[in-house]
Structure formats: structure tokens, C-alpha cells
Amino acid sequence: MDVFVIEGGRQLNGSIRINGSKNAALPLMAAALLTDEPLILSDVPNLSDIRNMTRLLTELGIESVSESSEHGQSITHRVTDPTQSHARYEIVRTMRASISTLGPLVAKRGSARVSLPGGCAIGQRPVDLHLRGLEALGAKITLDGGDIEATAPNGRLIGAPVFLGGPFGSTVLGTANIMSAATLAEGTTIIESAACEPEIVDLANMLNAMGAKISGAGSPRITIVGVESLGGTTHRVMPDRIEAGTYMCAAAVTGSELTLENCPLDAMMSAVDTLGHMGVHVDAVGSDADPMRRSCVISRAPEIKPVQITTQPHPGFPTDLQAQFMALLCLSNGNSVITEKIFPERFLHVAELCRMGAQIHRQGATAVVTGVKELTGAPVMASDLRASAGLVIAALAAKGTTIINRVYHIDRGYENLESKLAGVGASIRRADAEEFADSAMSH
Ligand code: EPZ
């Protein structure tokens, strides 16, 4: 197992290119199940979650050929065996986003057997809304041996009104699943309380390019007029707003001036606004026409000001940036309050940050962060993907050496994080955990 070894306190300087979005790419890849024609995706990040989705699609009879292109990794998907419809537990347990194959499979192949994802480090994460949505479209759903079995009677789903509101708002992958499935249903589907995340808009744009009739994506009401079949297309995945937000925090925590390229600023207003309140500036440069692919320069005032953050569905503050902003606020000059409204248990980073000298008091879904003058390096444990990114942010500013164990969590969502940061002057390297066995064990 690998660790990251980070010497804190280095200024960053230069430019980082933001990759295509992991969370956009996963349901886009699953949409390859909806067509008999080739689906070509470019700017697909090279990540373990993407490789797991490729493995899953292979088992579901989709051949994927990867090559490098003008816009990063390009993957061409082609159907080779349309009779497969079983997403096995062995793969689903490695990646919850496997559930994104459920809607496309039932819609196109008439039936699906997808292992029910279990809980994960950030909470319980049920899929009841996905299932209720598919039932509303006429699917018959049963649970057998830990697998969801879904069948479309007479082979085709039927358009219907679908309400996707749950106790914590809407569901992103649930919206992707139902919207994708409804493209091939007979008649019109209206999704009410749909997720408004930009990744849903990216998916709708691609499905429309394949011949779907979707309107309203990006708003809470999406209308889908079902069509008989979808064709292939070539689509460039939107840039990763969470990767961009993470590097914004890296620049801010080290008090550096850093340029980000291919940054989806238009999808990042709440994060950028919050940074502004903290005294961190995000200045778009150039006159690029596309507000989803801007270059911008991050800089900051001498002190980081405390703020209040509540995570919310888009366009609110994203839960996927909560840990990174918490790490930054550990070094602010006052008290910040962070409330987690999407995944109330998503605070695994708190105890690890405290090992580095942070002062954080958690009560339920709220954490009060009292800024300290300095963090100190320590051996810490990566838990979920974004919690781990938060530890990297803290380590970049901490005095001394931080060893982050279990960096496979980071590899799920950040392509070449260490070489990107080292390329702008950070002292970060990947090493074999054996080299640091003592510090890992003592932790
Ligand atoms: C997506 O997960 C992202 N994953 C997550 O990113 C992200 O944190 C999350 O959206 C919220 O923005 C991918 O896109 C692959 P949800 P998703 O369904 O769609 C509850 C990362 O770090 N809920 O929108 O699975 C749920 O428990 C990952 O990149 C139900 O109650 O999240 C949560 O409280 C982690 N019933 C809330 O809704 C359901 O059927 C939002 O979850 C579904 C969800």
C-alpha cells in the first residue's frame, strides 16, 4: 500500500490543468448501455473508479478502448454482447456508482440484476429513490441474494411523473439513472425534485446529442420525451469542479498564487463565493468564451477569515468540498461553523486533522473549527476520498512531515495528485507504506 510523504510550508507557483470530472464521467460511461452505436468520451480522468466502471461495462458486454487524445484520455465504447445484465457484487462493492448501470440496463435490455451497494465510509447511502423512480416507470423490482432485480414488463419502461425528493434533498445518481432510463421509455417522464448538479446537465447534453429529448436539466423539473432508440456520439466530459476546488484550497492554504486551467467556474459559484468571504480571490483570466472551461488565478489576503458553511445540493456548497474547506479553515483567524446536510456522518477527517493540531469540536452534523496559528505534520489515515484530500491540504501547510496512509482512497478521484502538486513546488512524494511501517502501526 502506498503513502504520501508531504513536507509542509512550501509555496506553490505555476499552473495546474483540471481533468475531466469523475462524477460526470461515470454515468456518461453507463449511458453506453443505451445505444448499439459507438460512444466516444474524451477527457475521461485516469482513475481507479473509471477503471472499475470499465471492468463493469466489459462484464455487461461493452468493449472499451482507451487512447490518448487532444483532450486527455479518450474511451470508445462499443456493444459486443447485449445479452449481459448482471452487475456483480465483486465490482459494485468497489464502487457505488455501479448503480448508474441499473436504469440504462432495464431501459435498453428490459431487465437488470445489479448488486445492492452497501454502506460506505461517509454514511448509509440508500438507493430507495432510484428504485422508487424505476418503479414509477413501470419496472418490477425485487431483491434476491443481495441483488436488485429489475424488469420492464413487455420489455419497455413507460414514461410517468417521478418525484425524487428525499430527506436530504434530491439524489444525483438517482436523477442520472431515471433520466437515462426515461430516454427510451414509451411516452413522457417528468422528474420533479431532480438534482440540479452540473454533472446532470452534462449527461443530458450528451444524451440529447445521442437523440434523446430532454429539457429542463439543471432545474428541479426535467422533462424527457421517450424515443425508440439512441445513436452514438462523441462527447468531452466537463471539467472536475471538485478537483478544481481542492487545488483552490491548496493554493489558499499555502498563501500561494496558482493558476488553474480548464476550470468549470460557472459550476463553482458557491465555493468561489465562500473563498471570497475567507479572503481568497479567484480571478478568471483571458476572455475564454466557455464559462465551464476557464483559466483562473488563486491568491489570498494575508489572513484567512472564518466563515459559516452549510453543505447543500447544487447550487449550494458541495459536500465533496467540505473536508478540504475544513482543512483550510483550521488556519483561519477565528471560529468557523460547518454543517453537513447531505451526509451527516461525513466527518472522518476531523479526528485526523486534530492529530495535526487542529481545534475542531463536532456535535452531530455540525463542526466548530477554531483557527490555530500552525498545524504540525503527523502520520494520519486517509478514509474516504474527500476526507483524504482534506488531509493533503492540511499537510501542505503543516510544519514538518505528514505521512498519509491508504492513499488508494485519493487515487479513486484525483489523477496524479502528487505529480500535479510537486509540479507547482509542493514537497510531496508517493512511497511504499513499508518504508513507514512504524508510523503507520503506531497510528
Ligand atoms: C453523488 O453521489 C456523488 N457521487 C458523490 O460524490 C456526492 O457526494 C453526492 O452525489 C452528493 O453530491 C457520484 O457522482 C459518483 P446522492 P450520490 O444520491 O448520487 C440520500 C465523491 O466524493 N439518498 O445525491 O450517490 C443520500 O443518503 C462522491 O466524489 C437517499 O436517501 O449521492 C444522501 O444523504 C462521494 N436515497 C443524499 O440523498 C437514495 O435513494 C444525496 O445523495 C439516494 C440518496
Side-chain angles (χ1 to χ4, degrees):
M1 259 197 282
D2 290 350
V3 302
F4 279 157
V5 185
I6 302 175
E7 297 283 342
R10 303 280 173 92
Q11 286 269 307
L12 310 182
N13 187 356
S15 178
I16 289 180
R17 182 189 177 276
I18 302 305
N19 281 110
S21 157
K22 164 183 87 81
N23 287 349
L26 292 167
L28 291 172
M29 291 169 78
L33 292 161
L34 289 167
T35 174
D36 298 325
E37 293 177 22
L39 174 65
I40 303 169
L41 296 174
S42 68
D43 226 343
V44 183
N46 192 356
L47 302 168
S48 54
D49 270 13
I50 297 292
R51 288 188 288 277
N52 281 329
M53 181 57 99
T54 301
R55 265 175 61 214
L56 176 57
L57 289 177
T58 306
E59 290 207 1
L60 294 172
I62 305 276
E63 173 198 78
S64 305
V65 177
S66 159
E67 56 198 339
S68 54
S69 72
E70 184 196 353
H71 300 130
Q73 176 179 222
S74 157
I75 305 184
T76 302
H77 303 89
R78 273 192 196 83
V79 181
T80 50
D81 182 358
T83 63
Q84 301 300 323
S85 59
H86 188 187
R88 294 181 305 119
Y89 181 60
E90 283 63 33
I91 297 187
V92 175
R93 73 188 172 88
T94 63
M95 187 191 51
R96 296 181 49 84
S98 309
I99 191 74
S100 318
T101 58
L102 180 64
L105 279 173
V106 201
K108 175 76 174 150
R109 300 185 179 176
S111 70
R113 189 177 176 101
V114 176
S115 178
L116 185 66
C120 76
I122 65 175
Q124 199 186 355
R125 303 190 70 185
V127 293
D128 55 316
L129 296 170
H130 300 235
L131 304 186
R132 286 215 316 252
L134 285 174
E135 274 175 341
L137 300 185
K140 294 274 167 281
I141 299 198
T142 52
L143 192 65
D144 179 36
D147 289 344
I148 303 159
E149 278 200 322
T151 314
N154 307 319
R156 194 168 178 198
L157 296 170
I158 316 265
V162 177
F163 183 71
L164 283 185
F168 300 100
S170 188
T171 161
V172 181
L173 289 179
T175 301
N177 237 336
I178 305 308
M179 183 173 80
S180 299
T183 58
L184 292 179
E186 190 181 335
T188 298
T189 297
I190 293 174
I191 306 179
E192 194 67 88
S193 196
C196 302
E197 268 63 8
E199 292 77 15
I200 296 296
V201 178
D202 203 34
L203 176 62
N205 288 342
M206 187 187 80
L207 291 169
N208 281 342
M210 294 165 73
K213 293 189 178 157
I214 302 172
S215 56
S219 81
R221 172 181 278 221
I222 303 179
T223 304
I224 306 116
V225 180
V227 295
E228 291 282 333
S229 66
L230 295 177
T233 193
T234 299
H235 181 81
R236 184 174 170 191
V237 180
M238 68 168 277
D240 195 319
R241 62 195 171 104
I242 306 304
E243 187 193 24
T246 302
Y247 289 122
M248 286 177 184
C249 291
V253 82
T254 51
S256 309
E257 197 172 289
L258 191 68
T259 300
L260 301 183
E261 294 160 34
N262 197 38
C263 187
L265 281 185
D266 207 38
M268 300 184 66
M269 289 201 189
S270 71
V272 170
D273 183 66
T274 306
L275 285 170
H277 291 299
M278 295 162 76
V280 179
H281 315 293
V282 178
D283 297 308
V285 289
S287 53
D288 322 31
D290 187 348
M292 287 291 277
R293 296 183 189 281
R294 297 301 298 264
S295 291
C296 58
V297 176
I298 321 302
S299 59
R300 78 155 221 237
E303 297 218 304
I304 300 167
K305 292 194 209 122
V307 288
Q308 295 205 15
I309 293 176
T310 300
T311 65
Q312 279 167 341
H314 191 79
F317 189 92
T319 172
D320 290 346
L321 283 176
Q322 183 253 106
Q324 300 89 317
F325 272 66
M326 183 183 288
L328 185 53
L329 288 169
C330 287
L331 290 167
S332 79
N333 64 358
N335 292 319
S336 301
V337 181
I338 299 180
T339 302
E340 177 55 69
K341 290 248 175 155
I342 308 292
F343 296 112
E345 299 300 320
R346 195 177 202 178
F347 285 111
L348 289 171
H349 41 289
V350 169
E352 303 299 306
L353 289 171
C354 289
R355 287 177 53 75
M356 300 176 72
Q359 278 190 26
I360 306 169
H361 299 282
R362 179 189 163 194
Q363 211 158 48
T366 295
V368 177
V369 183
T370 302
V372 294
K373 286 262 171 294
E374 181 175 89
L375 295 172
T376 45
V380 289
M381 196 67 84
S383 48
D384 91 280
L385 165 58
R386 309 302 174 185
S388 319
L391 297 180
V392 173
I393 304 298
L396 289 174
K399 190 172 166 212
T401 309
T402 298
I403 295 158
I404 304 184
N405 292 282
R406 300 193 182 166
V407 299
Y408 60 86
H409 287 290
I410 297 180
D411 295 335
R412 290 187 46 211
Y414 292 90
E415 180 178 337
N416 294 334
L417 177 120
E418 73 274 28
S419 51
K420 282 189 175 184
L421 284 173
V424 293
S427 170
I428 175 170
R429 71 181 171 93
R430 186 181 287 263
D432 194 317
E434 289 292 306
E435 214 183 303
F436 298 91
D438 290 347
S439 54
M441 273 167 58
S442 66
H443 185 39

